[in-house]
Amino acid sequence: MRRIWRGIGVALVCSLLLTFFSASAIAAKPKAGPEFDHTQTGFPLTGAHRTARCEGCHERGIFRGTPKDCASCHGNASRLPDATRIPPSHIPVSAGCDSCHRTSAWTPALFDHSSVAGRSCASCHNGTTAAGKPANHIATRQSCDACHRTSAWLPAKFDHNGVAAGSCATCHNGTAAVGKPSNHIPTTQSCDACHRTSAWLPATFNHNGVTAGSCATCHNGTTATGKPSNHLPTTQSCDACHRTTAWLPATFNHSGVTAGSCATCHNGTTATG
């Protein structure tokens, strides 16, 4: 009988010890259920991390000592099955993933160009590492940031300072950059004789050097504005009445008009009657 009670006592002690150690092990292991407050670990779950499986980050059920930096999980050396890896086409970078990426979405990535040295754009924007010049880009040896901004690639604003006067057609040839439209007046002058870099239109033509009496060469209704249909009949040149500073009002030079012939024009139709 004594042996029976002794066996019962040993079994009871073993059961109590087993219960104690099991409870201690559970207490030492963080609760990984939905009710667990992950902010207690110093790594709050945000974005895609909120729906990730616990075992996707905690290998073999080990919670303590899990790294908190991006590269430990998302680096190519990581063995975690659920973590997105850095693709082979990724630009070379030593910055942490969270410099450009967010936990809410891996893409689009926002790169902070604030620490990038000026004029070094092509180091990454070479068409392989990052987007480079398109095939229809104007021929230029200037750095990207001479025209483009990191806040928005387009529209691009070219700084014409330093461009030699009269050399516009080198780029503005219809291929490298916008050139003369098909309805442009025939001219051998450079673009900057009429156009300004601040605005392509309106164009202001410099009539200095134009031979007097040759207005109709351009002002023929096709190349440039010509006589309207209600213009009075005349064989005189435009500049006999009009000025290059303003087309209207026109001032007719009556010198040479035969006395007594006023009504030929001033009949209420051709001119005021």
Side-chain angles (χ1 to χ4, degrees):
M1 190 68 177
R2 185 177 299 174
R3 289 182 179 179
I4 294 175
W5 283 108
R6 184 181 300 170
I8 293 173
V10 171
L12 182 60
V13 170
C14 291
S15 177
L16 290 173
L17 289 174
L18 180 62
T19 302
F20 173 77
F21 285 116
S22 297
S24 299
I26 293 173
K29 181 178 179 180
K31 295 171 66 179
E35 70 280 2
F36 176 67
D37 183 7
H38 210 278
T39 57
Q40 296 178 7
T41 67
F43 189 88
L45 298 181
T46 60
H49 290 141
R50 294 179 61 86
T51 57
R53 299 181 305 125
C54 300
E55 58 271 24
C57 300
H58 301 286
E59 291 186 285
R60 299 185 300 278
I62 300 174
F63 289 83
R64 295 187 184 278
T66 301
K68 300 176 183 178
D69 62 294
C70 308
S72 295
C73 294
H74 295 282
N76 291 325
S78 172
R79 292 178 296 176
L80 296 180
D82 295 348
T84 305
R85 301 290 190 275
I86 299 176
S89 59
H90 196 284
I91 64 172
V93 61
S94 57
C97 307
D98 51 0
S99 297
C100 305
H101 302 280
R102 299 293 175 265
T103 59
S104 55
W106 192 252
T107 56
L110 300 175
F111 181 67
D112 183 6
H113 288 83
S114 58
S115 60
V116 176
R119 307 295 180 181
S120 64
C121 308
S123 300
C124 290
H125 290 280
N126 51 22
T128 302
T129 305
K133 293 179 182 177
N136 61 347
H137 195 283
I138 65 171
T140 177
R141 293 189 298 272
Q142 295 205 46
S143 177
C144 308
D145 52 1
C147 305
H148 301 279
R149 298 294 174 266
T150 57
S151 54
W153 189 253
L154 294 175
K157 294 185 178 180
F158 180 68
D159 183 5
H160 288 82
N161 293 331
V163 175
S167 65
C168 308
T170 305
C171 290
H172 290 280
N173 52 20
T175 302
V178 178
K180 293 179 182 176
S182 57
N183 61 346
H184 196 283
I185 64 171
T187 177
T188 56
Q189 295 202 49
S190 176
C191 308
D192 51 3
C194 305
H195 301 279
R196 298 293 174 267
T197 57
S198 55
W200 190 253
L201 294 174
T204 304
F205 181 67
N206 183 1
H207 288 82
N208 293 333
V210 175
T211 305
S214 65
C215 308
T217 305
C218 290
H219 290 281
N220 52 21
T222 302
T223 304
T225 305
K227 293 179 182 177
S229 58
N230 62 347
H231 195 283
L232 60 85
T234 177
T235 56
Q236 294 202 50
S237 176
C238 307
D239 51 3
C241 304
H242 301 280
R243 297 293 174 268
T244 58
T245 53
W247 189 252
L248 294 174
T251 304
F252 181 67
N253 183 1
H254 288 81
S255 298
V257 175
T258 305
S261 65
C262 305
T264 305
C265 290
H266 290 280
N267 52 21
T269 302
T270 305
T272 304

